[in-house]
C-alpha cells in the first residue's frame, strides 16, 4: 500500500467508526477548544510526517471535540445530516478534485449539474428554463439572486450598475418581512443596498400581505425588490405567495424567495400547498445541506431569467474556455470551486421522487410528535403552529426555559438550541436530519421531560 492509499484507508476507518458511534455517543462535544489544541500539539513540526500518521493524529485528537451534527438527535439551528450516497459521492468529489468552472473542461460535472438542476426545478415546481447555480450555502444563494435582482431593477430604471456602480444611481428599495433571516440583511450589505425596509409580520412571522401592498403603493416607480420567505426558522411558517407575488409584480418589483429549508415542501404532495404560487417569483435560494441532507457546503440559487444572473455574475477571461451555451461560473459568485452537483445528484438519485417527498414528510411527522410530547409536559407551551419542521416552546418564564435548555445540554442525549421569539426565551427544535427515527424522538422527549422535571418552577 502506498502512503496515499494508507492515509485514505485510515480516514475511511475513522469515518466509519465516527458514523457508527452517532447513535450512542453524547450529542454535544466532550472536549473544549483547549483540550483539542493540547491533543494536537500547537507547534508546527520542523519536517514532514507520514500522511497516515497525520490523519491518525487529526482523527484521534479531534474526535472528542466533535458535535454529533450528523446523528439523529441533533435539532439545533437548522442542520441537515448527510445521506449515505451524498456522503460517499462527496468523498469522490475530493478525490476527483475537478475545478468545476467551465462546461467544456469538466464534461462530467457539467452533465451532472445539468441533470441535477433539472431535477431540482421539477421537484420544487420552479420554471424549467431557470438558471440553477450551486453555491456554498443559502447565504451566497440569496446574495447571488439579489445581485441579479438589484442589477435588473436598476437596468429597468435606466441605470447600468455593472458599468457605473451604485453611486449616483437611483436608490433600490428592498422590502422584507420582520421574520426574514439575517442572511438577507448580510446579502444586502454585500450588495451595497443597506438595510431592508421591514414589513409587518403576523404572529407566525409571515409577512402581512396588506402591509406589503400598502408599502408598495408608496414605491413611486422606484426600483424595488421584495424578499419573501418559505420557512421561517422559529415557526417554520411560509409567506403566502400567490396573490402577494402577483401584487408585487403588478407594482413592477422583483420577487425573491428565501426558502433555505422550506422550499423543499414543494417536493411533497402533502406539503406542497405551503409553497403554492411560489413558482411565480423571479428568484429563489435554498440549501442542499439542510433538508436535502448533503454534506456541507452546498446551496442552490435559481433565477427565472438566466440572462439576468449571467449579467451580474458572468465574466470573460482570455484564458478561459467559454461555451456559447453558458458556463456554470456565470451563475455563482465563485470561479474555482468543487463539484457540488455530484453530491446533490447522488442525494436525489438515491431518494428518487418518492424518497424526497418521504424525507420531507418524515421530518414534519417528527416535528409534530415533538410538539405533542412537549405540550403534555407540565408548564410547557408550544408557541408556534407546527406546520413544518420547526417547533418553538417555552417552559414557564425565561429563566426556567433557560434552565431546561441548560439541563438538556448537560444530559447529552440531544442537542437543541434556544432563541428569542416574540420577546420570549424559547427552546427551538428543528428536525432536519434524514436519519432521525421515532426512537430518537422518544429518547429526546424523555430527556426534555427529565430536564423540565429537574428545573425549578
Ligand atoms: C440557514 C438559512 C439561511 C442561511 O443559509 P446558510 O446555508 O447557512 O448560508 C438563510 N435563510 C434561512 C431561512 C435559513 O434557514
Amino acid at each position: 500500500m502506498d502512503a496515499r492509499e494508507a492515509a485514505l484507508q485510515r480516514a475511511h476507518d475513522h469515518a466509519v467508526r465516527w458514523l457508527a458511534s452517532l447513535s450512542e455517543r453524547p450529542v454535544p462535544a466532550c472536549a473544549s477548544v483547549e483540550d483539542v489544541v493540547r491533543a494536537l500539539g500547537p507547534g508546527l513540526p520542523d519536517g514532514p510526517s507520514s500522511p497516515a500518521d497525520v490523519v491518525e493524529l487529526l482523527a484521534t485528537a479531534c474526535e472528542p471535540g466533535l458535535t454529533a451534527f450528523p446523528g439523529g438527535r441533533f435539532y439545533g439551528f437548522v442542520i441537515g445530516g448527510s445521506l449515505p450516497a451524498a456522503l460517499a459521492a462527496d468523498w469522490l468529489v475530493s478525490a476527483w478534485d475537478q475545478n468545476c468552472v467551465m462546461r467544456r473542461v469538466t464534461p462530467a460535472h457539467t452533465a451532472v449539474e445539468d441533470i441535477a438542476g433539472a431535477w431540482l426545478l421539477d421537484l420544487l415546481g420552479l420554471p424549467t428554463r431557470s438558471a440553477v447555480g450551486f453555491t456554498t450555502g443559502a447565504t451566497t444563494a440569496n446574495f447571488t439572486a439579489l445581485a441579479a435582482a438589484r442589477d435588473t431593477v436598476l437596468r429597468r430604471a435606466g441605470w447600468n450598475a455593472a458599468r457605473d456602480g451604485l453611486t449616483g444611481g437611483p436608490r433600490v428599495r428592498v422590502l422584507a418581512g420582520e421574520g426574514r433571516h439575517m442572511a438577507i440583511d448580510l446579502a444586502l450589505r454585500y450588495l451595497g443596498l443597506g438595510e431592508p425596509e421591514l414589513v409587518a409580520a403576523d404572529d407566525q412571522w409571515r409577512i402581512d400581505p396588506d402591509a406589503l401592498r400598502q408599502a408598495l403603493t408608496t414605491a413611486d416607480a422606484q426600483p424595488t425588490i421584495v424578499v419573501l420567505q418559505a420557512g421561517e426558522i422559529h415557526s417554520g411558517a411560509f409567506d403566502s405567495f400567490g396573490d402577494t407575488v402577483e401584487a408585487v409584480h403588478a407594482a413592477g418589483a422583483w420577487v425573491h424567495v428565501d426558502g433555505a429549508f422550506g422550499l423543499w415542501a414543494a417536493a411533497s404532495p402533502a406539503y406542497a400547498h405551503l409553497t403554492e404560487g411560489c413558482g411565480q417569483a423571479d428568484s429563489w435560494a435554498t440549501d442542499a445541506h439542510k433538508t436535502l441532507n448533503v454534506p456541507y457546503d452546498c446551496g442552490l440559487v435559481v433565477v427565472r431569467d438566466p440572462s439576468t444572473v449571467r449579467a451580474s455574475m458572468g465574466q470573460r477571461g482570455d484564458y478561459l474556455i467559454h461555451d456559447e451555451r453558458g458556463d456554470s461560473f456565470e451563475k455563482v459568485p465563485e470561479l474555482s470551486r468543487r463539484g457540488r452537483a455530484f453530491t446533490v445528484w447522488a442525494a436525489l438519485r438515491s431518494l428518487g421522487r418518492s424518497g424526497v417527498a418521504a424525507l420531507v414528510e418524515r421530518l414534519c411527522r417528527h416535528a409534530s410528535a415533538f410538539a405533542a410530547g412537549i405540550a403534555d409536559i407540565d408548564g410547557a407551551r408550544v408557541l408556534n403552529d407546527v406546520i413544518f419542521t420547526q417547533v418553538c416552546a417555552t417552559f414557564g418564564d425565561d429563566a426556567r426555559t433557560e434552565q431546561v435548555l441548560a439541563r438538556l445540554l448537560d444530559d447529552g442525549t440531544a442537542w437543541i438550541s434556544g432563541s428569542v421569539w416574540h420577546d420570549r426565551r424559547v427552546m427551538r427544535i428543528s428536525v432536519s436530519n434524514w436519519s432521525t427515527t421515532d426512537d430518537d424522538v422518544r429518547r429526546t422527549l424523555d430527556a426534555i421531560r427529565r430536564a423540565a422535571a429537574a428545573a425549578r418552577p
Side-chain angles (χ1 to χ4, degrees), residues 198-244:
L198 295 187
V199 179
D202 68 11
D203 64 332
Q204 301 297 308
W205 276 18
R206 286 175 293 238
I207 201 166
D208 176 345
D210 293 329
L212 178 60
R213 273 198 191 82
Q214 191 62 41
L216 283 168
T217 59
T218 64
D220 211 13
Q222 207 180 331
T224 303
I225 301 166
V226 172
V227 180
L228 300 178
Q229 182 166 253
E232 198 276 325
I233 55 167
H234 294 90
S235 63
F238 292 66
D239 289 342
S240 72
F241 298 107
D243 293 350
T244 310

Side-chain angles (χ1 to χ4, degrees), residues 42-134:
L44 176 67
D46 288 333
S49 312
S50 107
D53 290 348
V54 171
V55 170
E56 181 65 27
L57 173 63
L58 183 72
T60 51
C62 288
E63 201 263 2
L66 298 177
T67 300
F69 283 108
R73 293 187 308 284
F74 189 94
Y75 311 103
F77 317 109
V78 183
I79 302 282
S82 294
L83 287 161
L87 172 58
D90 199 53
W91 286 2
L92 278 180
V93 170
S94 290
W96 287 344
D97 198 20
Q98 306 285 291
N99 189 345
C100 300
V101 177
M102 288 164 280
R103 199 170 179 93
R104 294 198 217 161
V105 182
T106 52
H109 188 261
T110 302
V112 168
E113 186 171 301
D114 286 353
I115 295 171
W119 285 353
L120 189 88
L121 297 175
D122 178 11
L123 286 167
L124 301 184
L126 303 179
T128 48
R129 289 181 201 286
S130 307
V132 181
F134 292 70

Side-chain angles (χ1 to χ4, degrees), residues 78 137-140 142 181 183 229 231 233 258 260-261 287 289-290:
V78 183
T139 301
T140 36
N142 278 308
H181 192 277
Q229 182 166 253
I233 55 167
D258 177 10
F261 65 96
D287 266 319
H289 59 218
K290 289 179 180 170

Side-chain angles (χ1 to χ4, degrees), residues 16-28:
V16 169
R17 214 172 308 147
W18 156 252
L19 294 172
S21 77
L22 293 172
S23 63
E24 292 312 322
R25 66 180 290 121
V27 183

